[in-house]
Amino acid sequence: MAKIFCIANQKGGVGKTTTTVNLAAGLAKVGQRVLMVDLDPQGNATMGSGVDKRKLALSVYDVLLESASVREARVQSDKLAEAGCGYDILAANRELAGAEVEMVSLERREKRLKTALAEVDGDYDFVLIDCPPSLSMLTLNGLCCANGVIVPMQCEYFALEGLADLVNTIKQVHANLNKDLAIIGLLRVMFDPRITLQQQVSDQLKARFGDKVFDTVIPRNVRLAEAPSYGVPGVVFDPSSKGAQAFVSFATEMVERIKKM
């Protein structure tokens, strides 16, 4: 059975999409079968995985409205396959913003993604869902079908405030919609050990959340930032960069952590 994880944080600009595509590529690199689901209408995870969102025949929008199955809508990127980091992509584009409004009146509106993914449960080891930064119907669909949430966060003061909001949201979804949902771990991203405040926040996180904080730390790395403009994850763009190596280490840590779950 596939393990389904949301990469979520209600604060914007914390590296959710960067984390999603690089973790997907890292997991594929260490031999896992991966599906990446883009639930953000901006489609950044789609473009960052080497798929042109303007040329999609079918997308996650069609899957949520049940006019297509996951098997019909999923696509692959040749660039990633050639690099040995190929994963399947359930892509998104601007149409997805309309799904929000259309789904309000539908039955089982928050469980539609769960129903769709159940059909491909045996095809994958991991399903990674890139959630939008708001708590919307789309994020809710992601949280309702997930085994757990991976929270990428910068070690800054406002990030701690945003984390408290997210923990409350997860508690509510856990109580009302998905009894399996839990925080799998916190991933420290864009980390610069030279900044004292970041070190202090990192220590606070460890003190409060203990082993929920992943051992791997993703450093601030310009190669990871450059990669999306080439339409590939950093793990493919420059495998020797510190950022790429950190994400491959993180993928290995994820596989080990899942074995213990």
Side-chain angles (χ1 to χ4, degrees):
M1 284 175 65
K3 290 286 182 199
I4 303 173
F5 298 111
C6 280
I7 288 79
N9 191 328
Q10 280 156 268
K11 191 174 183 301
V14 293
K16 286 186 295 294
T17 301
T18 301
T19 300
T20 308
V21 298
N22 281 288
L23 177 56
L27 286 166
K29 196 167 193 168
V30 297
Q32 303 295 306
R33 299 168 302 158
V34 182
L35 171 67
M36 192 280 295
V37 181
D38 190 352
L39 273 189
D40 192 335
Q42 291 181 63
N44 291 341
T46 298
M47 297 291 272
S49 299
V51 173
D52 191 340
K53 64 183 178 184
R54 295 165 297 230
K55 296 178 180 173
L56 295 172
L58 294 167
S59 70
V60 70
Y61 169 81
D62 301 287
V63 172
L64 289 171
L65 293 181
E66 296 180 351
S67 58
S69 69
V70 175
R71 285 197 176 98
E72 290 166 337
R74 65 189 176 189
V75 290
Q76 278 197 330
S77 160
D78 295 336
K79 286 183 195 173
L80 302 190
E82 284 166 18
C85 298
Y87 53 87
D88 287 356
I89 300 144
L90 194 51
N93 55 21
R94 290 271 174 223
E95 277 187 338
L96 191 55
E100 196 87 28
V101 180
E102 290 173 58
M103 284 164 68
V104 168
S105 59
L106 297 177
E107 290 176 23
R108 303 176 295 98
R109 58 189 179 185
E110 61 281 299
K111 298 277 178 82
R112 292 196 152 224
L113 185 61
K114 182 175 185 171
T115 306
L117 290 175
E119 293 177 19
V120 292
D121 197 42
D123 295 5
Y124 302 104
D125 301 307
F126 286 89
V127 177
L128 302 178
I129 303 172
D130 185 34
C131 294
S134 58
L135 180 61
S136 59
M137 185 58 67
L138 296 170
T139 305
L140 210 52
N141 261 272
L143 293 174
C144 280
C145 66
N147 300 110
V149 182
I150 296 166
V151 186
M153 61 180 296
Q154 290 170 264
C155 290
E156 293 171 357
Y157 175 70
F158 286 129
L160 288 174
E161 288 202 333
L163 182 60
D165 294 341
L166 182 65
V167 169
N168 288 334
T169 300
I170 290 167
K171 281 179 183 169
Q172 287 174 350
V173 175
H174 177 269
N176 301 309
L177 294 164
N178 180 1
K179 293 281 182 276
D180 296 334
L181 191 67
I183 289 184
I184 297 298
L186 307 174
L187 177 67
R188 291 160 290 170
V189 297
M190 303 184 215
F191 191 77
D192 187 342
R194 296 168 301 179
I195 298 173
T196 310
L197 174 67
Q198 294 205 354
Q199 204 70 59
Q200 287 170 345
V201 174
S202 176
D203 293 342
Q204 278 179 294
L205 282 175
K206 280 185 182 167
R208 178 156 176 220
F209 291 96
D211 61 0
K212 287 278 188 201
V213 181
F214 287 108
D215 294 332
T216 309
V217 177
I218 310 298
R220 189 171 283 282
N221 183 254
V222 75
R223 302 301 272 170
L224 289 178
E226 287 170 354
S229 61
Y230 292 87
V232 290
V235 169
V236 175
F237 178 59
D238 185 356
S240 63
S241 68
K242 281 183 179 172
Q245 288 175 349
F247 270 114
V248 175
S249 299
F250 177 45
T252 309
E253 185 179 349
M254 270 297 294
V255 174
E256 290 305 313
R257 189 169 284 213
I258 298 317
K259 283 178 187 169
K260 293 173 189 169
M261 276 171 66

